[in-house]
Amino acid sequence: MSENGLVFLSRAARTAGAVLFGAALLAAFPTRAQQPSDKPAAAPAPPPSWQQGRTPGEASSPLHPFAIHMTGRAAKELPVDKLIVPAGFKVEVWADGAPGARSMALGDKGTVFVGTRQLKDVYAVVERGGKRDVKTILKGLDSPNGIVFSKGTLYVAERHRITRYDGIEDRLDNAPDAKAVIDNLDPSKQPGHFWKFLALGPDGKLYFNIGAPGNIVMPSYMQGSIMRVDPRKGVLENVALGVRNSVGFDWHPRTKQLWFTEHGRDWLGEDSPSDELNVVKRKGEHFGYPFCHQGDTLDPEFGKNRSCSEFTPPALKLGAHVAPIGMRFYTGKMFPAEYRNNIFIALRGSWNRTIKQGYNVTRVSFDDQGKPKMEPFLTGFLVDEKADPPMWGRPADVMVMRDGSLLVSDDHNGIIYRVSYGK
Amino acid sequence: MSGGRAARRGAGAAWALGAALLFACPAPAADLEAGRRRAQDCFACHGPEGNSTNPAMSSLAGQPAQFIAMQLFQFREGNRKDPKMTPPAVGLSNADLNDLAAYFSAQKPAMLAKAPDPATAAAGRRLTEQHHCVQCHGAALMGQQHIPRLAGQQRGYLRVQLRGFKAGTRADIDGFMTSATQLLSDKEIEILADYLSGLGGQ
């Protein structure tokens, strides 16, 4: 889960910043907060979620997640001219000034909606009279990472709920009130992988993840899964189990099977385990977490007396700690024909590894037997794989536009890039 | 980045550099001069050029730009609360915050003149290693990325921050500092504040 990291506003605050979100910690340490003592604390506050599962020997590891630039960085002060795409393609900055930009959704009238994970905002990128503007349309939400647009309605997945904003594209300056689709998705209110990706299935149901509560922890009810809800009925169903955290999924345009990215656990080695690209062939399938990683590696703790054979292995190993986030099948007509029904995956890049990798948009294509293979498509964010930080930008989501071009969000800087072909 | 670049060859495929920057409303680059003008309002408390002379006030000079921008953001958004810092932060745009960050990070930190006595220095150094401060704040404790410089920071300010983390009342990024300070005694907090504030001194 190389994606994890410093989650400044939501998850972070829940463990420790009691001042941010209420009295959780003060309640846990009432006397010490008021009466400083000269003795060490008896019950230390828990370490941050990203440190969970470290061995004692790793306490002095210099590896750490990277913080995003909460105020965004201007494209003109970054080496965007170092971005590389295959011959015939072009990459340009499409919009900046959208701090923390993550998941993207396309409105009926061409508005690009953008969610955030470490901020509390949802943006709309609009083009009016030749000007492209980033507007903040929703504020004060709880990690609004997941967004979907369908038939005039914007659906937003926060940590604890999914809401709908009907007719929002006609009133971006005065967004309608949120209506709940489903609530109580965050019963524990604890740190963990509880920001959500959101996608609309071919069945008209909303699909979302509820990740694991830590790096390597036994999930409880509703955790470590991909679920779906019928927005008309509000009834939940399990789609996939044993999923540590998936922050990107899409349906194959022909087979209609659900493919999803998944972050493997940390602190199990530089090259182990691999992050995964998975496909759901049967509703309720179990993908192994926390017992078995990458389809063939038993967990040192939870894998005791288990076998990987009872779990579904990944369709493709994406590499250790590369942090696959958003993914989409390419359904546009602009790119060459061989790109049709390929998958583009935003690899946000590793932190839990000495030599950094990922930090690109990867293309997954399929051979005649349907076997997937991967190759880098958009690179240049990673500057020095041994440096701290190693990169200047991090891809977080991809989205196919109506003209067939591909948008790529970069939450590290709050920039959206556009990849096009020809012309 | 307008116009094409020569195609590169790599791994059997021809790769071309991306080109063309066509958008109407680019975000402004951080402006050091604009930051300097705005920073005049900060000097009364944080000292000239952000070199504080008040033990209770933090020095901003030479702090990492990402740290400055992030803390101002946290004050503005109400995630880190302070009666003196919240009002000036509210109303500032992201561009303003980035300008201020560019300015303060470019100023030379005036390290305090007085180094701690050898016993405090040795004890302080030991604590920074034992509690893994150096892992994030750097071997010289000069900070990096979103992580602040501790060397030469004001003693009183450091003490209050460490006590606040330990009590769970100081806004934290991900719980790391709160968790790291739990094992510190008040005496050790004093030693750390003395040691860190004197680092880089004569």
Side-chain angles (χ1 to χ4, degrees):
Chain A
M1 93 149 171
S2 312
E3 194 235 345
N4 186 12
L6 305 174
V7 186
F8 290 83
L9 299 184
S10 23
R11 180 163 53 100
R14 286 183 173 77
T15 342
V19 70
L20 307 191
F21 279 92
L25 189 75
L26 288 172
F29 301 101
T31 49
R32 188 169 53 255
Q34 286 146 23
Q35 301 171 344
S37 138
D38 199 38
K39 296 199 172 74
S49 181
W50 61 268
Q51 288 186 351
Q52 189 270 320
R54 282 202 312 201
T55 61
E58 285 165 328
S60 56
S61 165
L63 303 178
H64 65 91
F66 303 107
I68 70 164
H69 290 268
M70 307 292 284
T71 49
R73 287 199 293 181
K76 66 174 67 159
E77 59 189 63
L78 295 169
V80 291
D81 59 344
K82 298 292 198 299
L83 292 173
I84 300 169
V85 283
F89 288 86
K90 186 176 89 170
V91 56
E92 66 200 297
V93 173
W94 188 75
D96 64 355
R102 294 267 296 198
S103 306
M104 296 179 285
L106 183 59
D108 290 337
K109 297 174 183 173
T111 306
V112 171
F113 295 94
V114 186
T116 60
R117 179 188 131 206
Q118 297 180 40
L119 283 83
K120 302 174 182 179
D121 305 327
V122 172
Y123 309 114
V125 188
V126 290
E127 296 193 47
R128 281 179 193 155
K131 271 179 64 178
R132 190 174 298 129
D133 269 329
V134 178
K135 305 162 69 73
T136 303
I137 55 166
L138 302 174
K139 293 180 181 176
L141 303 183
D142 192 355
S143 206
N145 183 76
I147 54 172
V148 154
F149 191 93
S150 174
K151 296 174 185 160
T153 293
L154 180 72
Y155 297 90
V156 177
E158 299 173 68
R159 265 183 66 112
H160 61 301
R161 63 175 187 170
I162 297 170
T163 50
R164 56 183 293 160
Y165 298 85
D166 298 328
I168 194 170
E169 208 173 7
D170 293 322
R171 41 186 303 194
L172 296 173
D173 292 315
N174 178 26
D177 290 339
K179 290 183 204 160
V181 173
I182 187 158
D183 208 338
N184 301 312
L185 295 177
D186 185 17
S188 75
K189 297 191 169 52
Q190 293 294 309
H193 303 94
F194 300 139
W195 60 94
K196 291 173 178 45
F197 190 80
L198 187 67
L200 186 71
D203 53 6
K205 294 177 181 174
L206 289 166
Y207 286 65
F208 57 93
N209 60 300
I210 301 184
N215 171 35
I216 185 71
V217 178
M218 183 63 71
S220 63
Y221 172 61
M222 291 207 301
Q223 296 174 342
S225 67
I226 294 176
M227 304 188 89
R228 70 183 177 195
V229 61
D230 185 332
R232 289 155 302 187
K233 297 177 184 160
V235 176
L236 285 171
E237 295 168 272
N238 276 325
V239 175
L241 299 171
V243 180
R244 182 176 171 281
N245 196 31
S246 172
V247 215
F249 29 88
D250 196 11
W251 288 263
H252 191 288
R254 263 189 310 103
T255 68
K256 307 298 181 198
Q257 284 175 328
L258 176 67
W259 290 67
F260 68 91
T261 61
E262 181 183 354
H263 289 207
R265 68 159 291 185
D266 292 320
W267 306 114
L268 200 60
E270 297 273 315
D271 295 311
S272 174
S274 178
D275 290 342
E276 301 176 14
L277 177 64
N278 291 301
V279 55
V280 181
K281 295 186 171 155
R282 182 172 49 79
K283 184 170 167 287
E285 227 169 335
H286 198 296
F287 288 83
Y289 179 89
F291 312 104
C292 172
H293 309 295
Q294 64 170 35
D296 56 18
T297 302
L298 287 170
D299 188 78
E301 180 185 359
F302 295 99
K304 281 179 184 145
N305 306 317
R306 303 295 293 239
S307 162
C308 281
S309 64
E310 67 175 299
F311 307 111
T312 306
L316 185 64
K317 294 179 184 175
L318 297 172
H321 310 296
V322 295
I325 314 275
M327 59 156 279
R328 296 288 196 290
F329 283 91
Y330 184 75
T331 52
K333 294 195 169 69
M334 177 190 277
F335 293 2
E338 60 266 30
Y339 282 81
R340 184 73 56 83
N341 296 346
N342 285 187
I343 306 174
F344 286 111
I345 304 177
L347 300 183
R348 196 160 173 264
S350 65
W351 64 263
N352 192 229
R353 174 174 217 282
T354 306
I355 309 295
K356 303 298 187 282
Q357 60 183 9
Y359 301 99
N360 64 48
V361 174
T362 279
R363 170 194 178 193
V364 174
S365 56
F366 300 87
D367 67 14
D368 294 342
Q369 280 73 49
K371 192 167 176 275
K373 70 173 170 93
M374 62 189 283
E375 63 188 299
F377 177 74
L378 167 62
T379 59
F381 296 104
L382 182 63
V383 177
D384 179 349
E385 62 195 13
K386 293 180 182 171
D388 184 1
M391 79 302 174
W392 58 267
R394 307 184 83 176
D397 194 21
V398 292
M399 182 173 73
V400 182
M401 295 287 273
R402 293 207 175 90
D403 67 358
S405 62
L406 186 76
L407 293 189
V408 178
S409 63
D410 165 5
D411 68 336
H412 192 68
N413 298 303
I415 298 176
I416 299 172
Y417 311 90
R418 175 179 182 261
V419 180
S420 56
Y421 182 79
K423 285 176 278 214
Chain B
M1 57 178 276
S2 60
R5 298 273 182 100
R8 285 184 189 171
R9 301 256 161 214
W15 297 79
L17 274 177
L21 183 59
L22 291 169
F23 59 101
C25 299
D31 182 339
L32 199 145
E33 276 311 310
R36 184 193 307 280
R37 287 193 295 277
R38 197 168 285 285
Q40 305 302 314
D41 295 342
C42 314
F43 295 165
C45 296
H46 290 283
E49 282 80 54
N51 278 307
S52 169
T53 53
N54 177 345
M57 283 294 162
S58 57
S59 276
L60 307 177
Q63 289 287 358
Q66 190 178 358
F67 166 73
I68 300 270
M70 175 167 293
Q71 294 307 313
L72 286 169
F73 174 90
Q74 304 290 24
F75 281 123
R76 184 185 73 189
E77 302 296 314
N79 301 317
R80 184 178 173 188
K81 291 185 169 65
D82 183 277
K84 289 207 192 75
M85 270 313 297
T86 304
V90 169
L92 295 182
S93 68
N94 285 336
D96 296 335
L97 303 192
N98 289 341
D99 293 346
L100 284 166
Y103 169 74
F104 281 117
S105 65
Q107 304 312 303
K108 192 172 184 313
M111 296 303 193
L112 299 183
K114 189 169 173 295
D117 63 76
T120 304
R125 184 71 206 173
R126 207 162 45 241
L127 285 170
T128 58
E129 285 163 5
Q130 183 186 337
H131 291 276
H132 309 300
C133 311
V134 289
Q135 270 167 256
C136 296
H137 293 274
L141 296 151
M142 291 298 282
Q144 55 162 339
Q145 298 164 54
H146 63 288
I147 300 161
R149 168 172 66 81
L150 305 178
Q153 185 54 278
Q154 286 289 354
R155 174 183 289 112
Y157 174 79
L158 287 170
R159 199 186 289 136
V160 168
Q161 302 313 304
L162 286 168
R163 284 183 183 158
F165 280 125
K166 185 178 170 185
T169 54
R170 163 67 154 85
D172 200 349
I173 50 172
D174 60 354
F176 196 175
M177 277 305 300
T178 303
S179 131
T181 48
Q182 295 306 306
L183 295 170
L184 289 174
S185 69
D186 286 358
K187 176 119 192 303
E188 288 170 327
I189 287 177
E190 297 294 320
I191 293 170
L192 276 172
D194 285 352
Y195 167 69
L196 294 168
S197 63
L199 269 184
Q202 307 304 311

